[in-house]
Amino acid sequence: MALRLSKIWTLGKALYHMTMRLREYTDQTITPQGWAEIINLKIPQAQAVLNLKNSEEYKEPIVITPSEYTAGGKWDSEVTYVPATKQLTVTNTGFANYFSVDFINFITTNPVGARVFMFPDFSATGIFEAYVKKVISANTVELSEGIPDDILTVQPGLMVIPGNSSTVNLALLSIYKNIREIVLIESNVYGECVSKPKTEFLNITKPPLGSYHSHWLKRIIWCRDGELLKFGKGTLTEFGTLTAWINRIPYECDINYPDEYLDARDEDMNIIFDMCLLTGLETLKIPIPENLKSTEAEINKLIQANEAQKAKLLTGKE
């Protein structure tokens, strides 16, 4: 986790500052926990108001490691699918006898996001496609929506989990809830990875591997699909070390760590404290004092302004 932006204001100092400011207007009090919650609410709001959502100061690199898929397995009596729960189960015998040798179980292989192709029978011309949405256990996964209830009533059939794409489950990263936007992903071997919309990504990476357009056989491509980052590397043998550059929202402060610095620039703290004070007075149902109404008006202008107007308001220049 990156260092927080403030060099002066710890949570403890901010709590004392807000307590003293509130005393100027009322004998009522707000608990330290209450102030911490208000601060955690107002710092991200200030980030957007001050046009910092794409600021270099909130940009952070994280190293990511894709989990690669192996080829899948053959449909057999050791494989079952329950349409009501969308759960696909493979017995240990099924993995041992009908799946790729390195496809041991769903936990070890971690196929979340993998595409699953289903054939109702070998003579059928239609192919039904889903993807692995969730790993339930070593033997069971939940598939995505859209699989007809009667698709697998005719056996034999075939299930394939392609080996030419990989995923990173963002939800497993500690920084996940702070990711606002993924700006760039780069490989230390191949340079910038190419971002693609989901539909185009799936069309490029669909098996067999030869369906790749030749332009993408030597490039790393990726797309974001909810919690998943999906990658394709064509005929490349490795990804190298992948670094994702993200724009993030500020880290929250924790009442249990009063010496931790706030995640905001020191030069922005005045407006943040003003926003906190106004919210504190509103929480206590105290009318906004006359000497704060102009501050309230200026903050409301910033919130409602477009980017050009914000620049004028913040610099005082036309």
Side-chain angles (χ1 to χ4, degrees):
M1 182 178 291
L3 293 175
R4 291 157 188 252
L5 297 187
S6 178
K7 303 296 188 294
I8 299 172
W9 291 99
T10 63
L11 175 60
K13 288 182 180 179
L15 295 179
Y16 179 79
H17 178 77
M18 293 312 306
T19 299
M20 293 298 102
R21 287 197 65 179
L22 186 64
R23 284 185 185 176
E24 298 176 22
Y25 303 99
T26 179
D27 291 333
Q28 297 184 61
T29 60
I30 292 177
T31 65
Q33 180 63 51
W35 276 126
E37 291 174 1
I38 291 173
I39 291 170
N40 283 334
L41 175 67
K42 293 305 172 182
I43 287 180
Q45 287 185 4
Q47 180 194 35
V49 166
L50 298 172
N51 195 27
L52 294 175
K53 65 180 180 180
N54 293 321
S55 170
E56 291 295 316
E57 293 159 299
Y58 284 102
K59 186 178 288 185
E60 186 168 330
I62 53 174
V63 175
I64 53 177
T65 304
S67 299
E68 295 196 47
Y69 305 145
T70 56
K74 176 183 176 182
W75 187 269
D76 186 83
S77 59
E78 299 293 334
V79 181
T80 57
Y81 174 70
V82 180
T85 61
K86 300 181 177 61
Q87 291 185 2
L88 181 112
T89 298
V90 181
T91 66
N92 291 335
T93 301
F95 279 120
N97 294 338
Y98 302 106
F99 274 64
S100 305
V101 64
D102 51 353
F103 202 135
I104 301 171
N105 59 59
F106 289 129
I107 291 178
T108 300
T109 307
N110 186 22
V112 173
R115 301 169 80 189
V116 179
F117 296 86
M118 302 178 182
F119 302 71
D121 61 73
F122 285 130
S123 63
T125 56
I127 299 175
F128 295 88
E129 178 184 358
Y131 68 88
V132 178
K133 183 178 180 181
K134 181 180 181 181
V135 173
I136 305 296
S137 68
N139 297 92
T140 302
V141 291
E142 179 184 337
L143 301 185
S144 60
E145 302 285 343
I147 306 302
D149 288 357
D150 61 349
I151 180 177
L152 301 176
T153 57
V154 180
Q155 291 188 4
L158 184 69
M159 182 185 73
V160 178
I161 299 180
N164 63 338
S165 60
S166 307
T167 64
V168 171
N169 189 341
L170 293 173
L172 300 180
L173 303 178
S174 59
I175 198 176
Y176 174 59
K177 70 176 183 177
N178 290 89
I179 297 175
R180 181 189 293 276
E181 176 188 15
I182 297 174
V183 180
L184 171 71
I185 298 178
E186 58 184 352
S187 163
N188 69 328
V189 178
Y190 301 106
E192 181 178 350
C193 305
V194 182
S195 174
K196 290 290 181 183
K198 178 181 175 182
T199 300
E200 186 176 354
F201 175 89
L202 293 177
N203 285 332
I204 292 173
T205 59
K206 65 184 178 184
L209 186 60
S211 64
Y212 258 69
H213 188 284
S214 59
H215 181 68
W216 302 113
L217 287 175
K218 300 290 186 182
R219 301 289 300 276
I220 297 174
I221 62 174
W222 67 277
C223 76
R224 182 168 181 176
D225 186 6
E227 295 179 344
L228 299 175
L229 290 181
K230 296 182 178 181
F231 292 86
K233 58 178 169 52
T235 57
L236 297 175
T237 58
E238 63 172 330
F239 287 106
T241 300
L242 295 180
T243 301
W245 288 88
I246 64 163
N247 281 326
R248 62 176 178 81
I249 61 175
Y251 295 123
E252 292 188 347
C253 54
D254 188 329
I255 192 67
N256 296 311
Y257 299 95
D259 293 331
E260 195 165 56
Y261 286 95
L262 301 183
D263 196 14
R265 301 187 304 180
D266 290 320
E267 54 265 43
D268 297 328
M269 290 310 303
N270 284 340
I271 191 171
I272 291 171
F273 287 146
D274 285 344
M275 294 171 73
C276 290
L277 179 60
L278 291 169
T279 299
L281 292 170
E282 182 181 357
T283 300
L284 296 173
K285 296 181 170 50
I286 296 173
I288 302 301
E290 287 297 324
N291 66 333
L292 289 179
K293 286 186 176 179
S294 61
T295 299
E296 181 185 33
E298 289 300 316
I299 290 173
N300 287 334
K301 283 182 183 178
L302 279 170
I303 292 173
Q304 297 168 14
N306 60 35
E307 301 308 318
Q309 292 168 333
K310 285 178 185 176
K312 291 178 181 179
L313 291 168
L314 290 169
T315 62
K317 297 179 180 179
E318 293 297 327

